C-alpha cells in the first residue's frame, strides 16, 4: 500500500506536469503557424496536392483566388525543419504572394505591386511639390480620401473628393517611400527618389480576398468591438503629440457658396491613455471668404466645426456605437474582410434596433484583424429621428426662418506609423432645409467640414499657452482673420475640388491657390 506521502508526491508531479503542459501550450499558441517549423517527405506533387497535404498536417485550410496559383504545377514537397512560410513560398513559386492567418485559414493574396504610374511635367526627381490623382485602375473613377503618406515619417495627406492630392517633399525625404492606401485596394508604394514630374496619376487595383463564408459567420462582431475598445491603450499614442492639419469648412445655399473658411492648424493631441488634459488647437494660418450681403434673406452657419472634429476622434472619446453600455441598442453584422496596406480589416455594419426611438447611428466600422485597432468609421445619423436634433448643428439662422437637418454623415480614419495609430482624417457632410414662416418652399443648404492631418510630431510636445489656443466651441468662420497674406507657404493643404474651385472663382477670389495654374 502506498503511503500518504507517496500519494502527495504523485499528485504534485501530476500538477507540475499539467502546469508545464499549460505553459508550453501558451507558448506554442503565441507562435503563428506560418512561423512554426515543419517537415515534409512527400516528394514531387502538384501544388494543389501540396496544399492539401499541408492542411492535413497542420489543420489549417487555405483560401485564395485560383488565378494566383497554378494548381497543376509540379513542386517538391520535401523539407526538413523549416518554417511553413518558407515552404509556401517555395511551392507556390511566386514571390509576389503573401500569407496571413485568420482563424483556422491561411489566406494567400498578392503583395503590393509596383503599380501603375503616369506623370506629366518636367523630368527629374521631385523634392518640391508632389501632385496627382488616385483612381480605380479598372473604372478610372477617382478615389476620395485615399491616404498619401511617407512610410517612415508622420508626413502625409489625403485626396480630395476628386481624388486629387498634393504633398510637399524636402531633400531629407529622398530615402523614404510614398505609400498610397485605400480600403479594399492593393497598396501602392513609390520611393521618393523615383518620383518623376508632377500631375502624377496613380491607379490602384481592387483586391478581392477569397474569404470563406465560414470565417465571416464564425466571427462575433460584438466580441471584436469589445477587443478593439480594450486594445485602445496599446494601439494609440500613449504620449501627447503635435498634429499639423489642414482644416476647411463651408456652407452652400442652392449650390452657391455662401461662406468658406480654411486654415492650417496645430493640434496638441493628448495621450489616448488615461489623461486629465484635453486637446488644444492653435491656428497657424487662415483665411475666410464671405458671399453674403444685405440682400441675402437667409444665412446658416456651421455650429462648432472645430469642436466637432475633436469629438469625432471616436477612439479617444469612444464612438457611440462601440460603447459597451450602448451596444444593446444596436444590431451588428460582419459583412466582409478587406485588405488595407499590408494587413486586413473586419468590416462590421451596425444600425440601431427597430424598437429604439432615439437619434442613433448606422454605418460601418473597420477594425484591424491582427491588433484590433479601429482604422476607419463611416456613419450617419438615422434620418427618421433627425427632427429631434434640430438645434444641434446650426448656430443661427436668419430671423423668421426655420432650419432643420436632412442628412448628417461623418467619416473618420486613423493612420498607423511604427505600430502606433494616429488620427488621419475627419470629414462631415450635412444637408439642411430652411423655410421662411408662412412660405411653401424650402431652401436647401449643404454644410461640410474637413480636417486632414499632414504632419505628426512626437518630439518636445508641450501644451500651448492659453492665449495661443483657438476656442473650439466658437463658430470657426467668425474666429479667424479675413485673410492671411502669406497663404500656406511650405504647409500642405487640400486641393479644392472642381466644383468648389468653380464656386470660388465665381466669387472672384484672387488667391493663388485657386488659380488655373495650380490645376
Amino acid at each position: 500500500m502506498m503511503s500518504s506521502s507517496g500519494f502527495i508526491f504523485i499528485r504534485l508531479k501530476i500538477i507540475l506536469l499539467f502546469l508545464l503542459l499549460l505553459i508550453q501550450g501558451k507558448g506554442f499558441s503565441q507562435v503563428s503557424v506560418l512561423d512554426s517549423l515543419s517537415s515534409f517527405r512527400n516528394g514531387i506533387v502538384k501544388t494543389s496536392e501540396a496544399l492539401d497535404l499541408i492542411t492535413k498536417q497542420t489543420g489549417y485550410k487555405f483560401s485564395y483566388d485560383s488565378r494566383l496559383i497554378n494548381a497543376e504545377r509540379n513542386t517538391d514537397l520535401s523539407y526538413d525543419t523549416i518554417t511553413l512560410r518558407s515552404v509556401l513560398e517555395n511551392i507556390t513559386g511566386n514571390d509576389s504572394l503573401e500569407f496571413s492567418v485568420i482563424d483556422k485559414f491561411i489566406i494567400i493574396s498578392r503583395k503590393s505591386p509596383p503599380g501603375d504610374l503616369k506623370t506629366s511635367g518636367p523630368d527629374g526627381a521631385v523634392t518640391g511639390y508632389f501632385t496627382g490623382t488616385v483612381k480605380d485602375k479598372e473604372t478610372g473613377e477617382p478615389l476620395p480620401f485615399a491616404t498619401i503618406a511617407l512610410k517612415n515619417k508622420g508626413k502625409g495627406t489625403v485626396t480630395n473628393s476628386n481624388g486629387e492630392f498634393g504633398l510637399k517633399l524636402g531633400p531629407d525625404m529622398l530615402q523614404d517611400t510614398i505609400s498610397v492606401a485605400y480600403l479594399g485596394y492593393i497598396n501602392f508604394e513609390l520611393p521618393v527618389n523615383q518620383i518623376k514630374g508632377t500631375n502624377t496619376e496613380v491607379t490602384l487595383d481592387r483586391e478581392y480576398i477569397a474569404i470563406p463564408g465560414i470565417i465571416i459567420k464564425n466571427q462575433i462582431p460584438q466580441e471584436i468591438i469589445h477587443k478593439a475598445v480594450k486594445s485602445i491603450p496599446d494601439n494609440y499614442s500613449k504620449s501627447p503629440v503635435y498634429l499639423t492639419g489642414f482644416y476647411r469648412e463651408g456652407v452652400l445655399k442652392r449650390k452657391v457658396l455662401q461662406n468658406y473658411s480654411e486654415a492650417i492648424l496645430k493640434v496638441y493631441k493628448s495621450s489616448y491613455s488615461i489623461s486629465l488634459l484635453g486637446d488644444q488647437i492653435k491656428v497657424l494660418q487662415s483665411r475666410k471668404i464671405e458671399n453674403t450681403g444685405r440682400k441675402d434673406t437667409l444665412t446658416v452657419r456651421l455650429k462648432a466645426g472645430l469642436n466637432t472634429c475633436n469629438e469625432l476622434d471616436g477612439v479617444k472619446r469612444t464612438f457611440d456605437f462601440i460603447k459597451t453600455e450602448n451596444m444593446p441598442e444596436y444590431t451588428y453584422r460582419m459583412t466582409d474582410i478587406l485588405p488595407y496596406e499590408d494587413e486586413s480589416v473586419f468590416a462590421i455594419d451596425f444600425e440601431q434596433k427597430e424598437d429604439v426611438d432615439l437619434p442613433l447611428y448606422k454605418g460601418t466600422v473597420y477594425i484591424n484583424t491582427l491588433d484590433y485597432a479601429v482604422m476607419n468609421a463611416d456613419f450617419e445619423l438615422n434620418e427618421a429621428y433627425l427632427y429631434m436634433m434640430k438645434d444641434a448643428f446650426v448656430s443661427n439662422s436668419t430671423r423668421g426662418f426655420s432650419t432643420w437637418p436632412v442628412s448628417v454623415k461623418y467619416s473618420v480614419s486613423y493612420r498607423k506609423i511604427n505600430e502606433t495609430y494616429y488620427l488621419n482624417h475627419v470629414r462631415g457632410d450635412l444637408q439642411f432645409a430652411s423655410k421662411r414662416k408662412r412660405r411653401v418652399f424650402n431652401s436647401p443648404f449643404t454644410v461640410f467640414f474637413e480636417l486632414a492631418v499632414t504632419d505628426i510630431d512626437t518630439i518636445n510636445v508641450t501644451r500651448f499657452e492659453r492665449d495661443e489656443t483657438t476656442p473650439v466651441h466658437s463658430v470657426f468662420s467668425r474666429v479667424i482673420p479675413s485673410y492671411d497674406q502669406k497663404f500656406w507657404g511650405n504647409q500642405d493643404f487640400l486641393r479644392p475640388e472642381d466644383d468648389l474651385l468653380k464656386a470660388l472663382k465665381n466669387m472672384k477670389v484672387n488667391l493663388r491657390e485657386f488659380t488655373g495654374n495650380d490645376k
Side-chain angles (χ1 to χ4, degrees):
M1 179 177 291
M2 187 175 295
S3 66
S4 60
S5 60
F7 278 117
I8 293 174
F9 177 74
I10 292 174
R11 191 174 181 182
L12 285 173
K13 286 183 67 177
I14 292 172
I15 292 173
L16 288 173
L17 179 61
F18 174 77
L19 290 174
L20 178 61
L21 291 173
L22 181 63
I23 292 171
Q24 288 178 335
K26 287 185 177 179
F28 289 138
S29 66
Q30 293 174 354
V31 178
S32 168
V33 65
L34 295 172
D35 298 317
S36 62
L37 298 179
S38 303
S39 297
F40 298 92
R41 300 284 189 277
N42 301 94
I44 303 298
V45 295
K46 292 181 179 180
T47 301
S48 58
E49 296 173 356
L51 295 179
D52 290 340
L53 290 167
I54 293 173
T55 294
K56 289 180 180 179
Q57 181 164 318
T58 65
Y60 282 78
K61 298 180 181 179
F62 289 90
S63 179
Y64 55 89
D65 187 328
S66 60
R67 294 170 296 181
L68 297 179
I69 293 177
N70 182 357
E72 298 300 312
R73 175 178 176 269
N74 288 329
T75 185
D76 187 0
L77 190 60
S78 301
Y79 299 98
D80 186 23
T81 319
I82 66 172
T83 65
L84 181 58
R85 188 188 306 274
S86 298
V87 173
L88 293 174
E89 289 173 348
N90 290 333
I91 67 173
T92 57
N94 188 342
D95 58 7
S96 66
L97 299 178
E98 61 183 4
F99 313 97
S100 57
V101 178
I102 300 177
D103 284 350
K104 298 295 287 185
F105 286 84
I106 297 175
I107 311 299
I108 303 176
S109 57
R110 289 179 293 182
K111 290 181 181 178
S112 302
D116 287 339
L117 190 71
K118 297 179 182 179
T119 62
S120 61
D123 293 333
V126 174
T127 57
Y129 198 31
F130 176 40
T131 64
T133 57
V134 180
K135 298 180 179 181
D136 181 296
K137 184 177 181 179
E138 183 176 351
T139 67
E141 292 295 316
L143 298 178
F145 317 136
T147 298
I148 318 292
L150 293 174
K151 291 196 68 174
N152 301 312
K153 292 184 174 62
K155 190 172 180 60
T157 188
V158 298
T159 58
N160 65 16
S161 298
N162 294 148
E164 300 168 327
F165 68 89
L167 187 64
K168 295 182 179 178
L169 304 172
D172 60 323
M173 305 171 192
L174 283 173
Q175 302 308 312
D176 213 324
T177 299
I178 291 285
S179 171
V180 181
Y182 198 82
L183 194 63
Y185 286 75
I186 300 176
N187 193 49
F188 169 82
E189 294 184 358
L190 178 68
V192 173
N193 58 19
Q194 292 183 18
I195 296 174
K196 304 291 184 181
T198 55
N199 296 325
T200 302
E201 181 179 298
V202 179
T203 56
L204 300 184
D205 280 300
R206 185 180 288 276
E207 173 72 308
Y208 298 96
I209 300 180
I211 302 293
I214 190 173
I215 294 184
I216 296 177
K217 289 180 181 179
N218 286 345
Q219 302 297 330
I220 301 176
Q222 291 88 338
E223 290 186 359
I224 294 173
I225 292 173
H226 281 308
K227 289 179 181 178
V229 174
K230 187 177 180 180
S231 301
I232 288 174
D234 295 325
N235 286 326
Y236 301 84
S237 180
K238 300 176 180 62
S239 303
V241 299
Y242 285 142
L243 305 179
T244 301
F246 180 80
Y247 177 86
R248 59 179 180 171
E249 64 177 44
V251 177
L252 295 93
K253 174 186 174 184
R254 294 195 184 94
K255 298 184 179 181
V256 176
L257 197 61
Q258 281 207 314
N259 59 68
Y260 178 76
S261 305
E262 55 187 16
I264 302 296
L265 307 177
K266 190 169 186 178
V267 180
Y268 171 89
K269 177 67 69 173
S270 58
S271 167
Y272 281 77
S273 302
I274 297 175
S275 175
L276 299 177
L277 301 176
D279 299 344
Q280 295 177 301
I281 297 177
K282 177 166 62 174
V283 174
L284 302 181
Q285 296 172 274
S286 59
R287 65 184 178 196
K288 72 173 182 179
I289 303 152
E290 295 281 0
N291 193 29
T292 55
R294 294 180 180 178
K295 293 183 179 181
D296 286 305
T297 58
L298 177 64
T299 59
V300 174
R301 290 185 182 275
L302 177 64
K303 187 174 183 179
L306 285 180
N307 183 58
T308 303
C309 279
N310 261 343
E311 294 297 327
L312 285 172
D313 182 355
V315 170
K316 171 169 283 191
R317 288 164 178 79
T318 313
F319 291 118
D320 178 83
F321 43 84
I322 66 173
K323 288 182 178 178
T324 301
E325 63 270 26
N326 293 343
M327 292 181 72
E329 299 176 335
Y330 286 93
T331 298
Y332 299 88
R333 185 168 60 95
M334 174 76 67
T335 57
D336 208 347
I337 298 177
L338 301 170
Y340 186 75
E341 296 196 7
D342 298 325
E343 299 175 337
S344 55
V345 298
F346 296 115
I348 300 175
D349 286 358
F350 57 87
E351 61 181 344
Q352 69 185 83
K353 294 180 177 178
E354 292 183 0
D355 59 346
V356 177
D357 56 352
L358 296 171
L360 301 183
Y361 296 99
K362 62 180 179 179
T364 306
V365 59
Y366 301 92
I367 297 174
N368 192 297
T369 61
L370 297 178
D371 56 25
Y372 293 94
V374 175
M375 302 188 65
N376 294 72
D378 299 313
F379 53 103
E380 60 183 292
L381 277 168
N382 190 331
E383 294 179 2
Y385 297 97
L386 278 177
Y387 69 92
M388 301 173 67
M389 307 287 290
K390 183 176 180 180
D391 299 321
F393 301 100
V394 178
S395 64
N396 66 4
S397 61
T398 303
R399 187 175 180 179
F401 285 80
S402 177
T403 304
W404 63 94
V406 176
S407 172
V408 177
K409 298 181 179 181
Y410 300 118
S411 176
V412 183
S413 69
Y414 296 84
R415 179 186 165 203
K416 187 178 183 180
I417 307 174
N418 297 327
E419 305 306 317
T420 300
Y421 290 86
Y422 303 91
L423 185 66
N424 180 59
H425 181 240
V426 177
R427 171 84 185 196
D429 291 282
L430 302 85
Q431 303 289 329
F432 294 88
S434 191
K435 185 172 76 70
R436 185 195 288 271
K437 293 179 180 178
R438 295 184 294 277
R439 291 288 180 89
V440 177
F441 298 106
N442 301 332
S443 295
F445 278 81
T446 299
V447 175
F448 67 90
F449 64 89
E450 185 169 25
L451 172 65
V453 175
T454 57
D455 202 5
I456 300 170
D457 190 359
T458 60
I459 307 300
N460 298 324
V461 178
T462 59
R463 290 180 65 81
F464 303 138
E465 297 294 332
R466 183 182 296 272
D467 59 359
E468 293 181 301
T469 61
T470 300
V472 295
H473 292 281
S474 300
V475 177
F476 186 75
S477 61
R478 289 177 174 173
V479 173
I480 66 174
S482 293
Y483 290 99
D484 181 85
Q485 297 301 320
K486 295 181 180 179
F487 297 109
W488 309 130
N490 292 323
Q491 301 285 1
D492 289 295
F493 63 93
L494 290 185
R495 297 169 66 83
E497 292 84 354
D498 292 340
D499 54 351
L500 179 57
L501 187 69
K502 182 178 179 180
L504 290 166
K505 288 180 178 179
N506 288 340
M507 295 169 67
K508 298 180 180 179
V509 179
N510 186 23
L511 298 177
R512 62 190 174 105
E513 283 85 359
F514 302 139
T515 64
N517 293 332
D518 285 331
K519 289 296 289 177

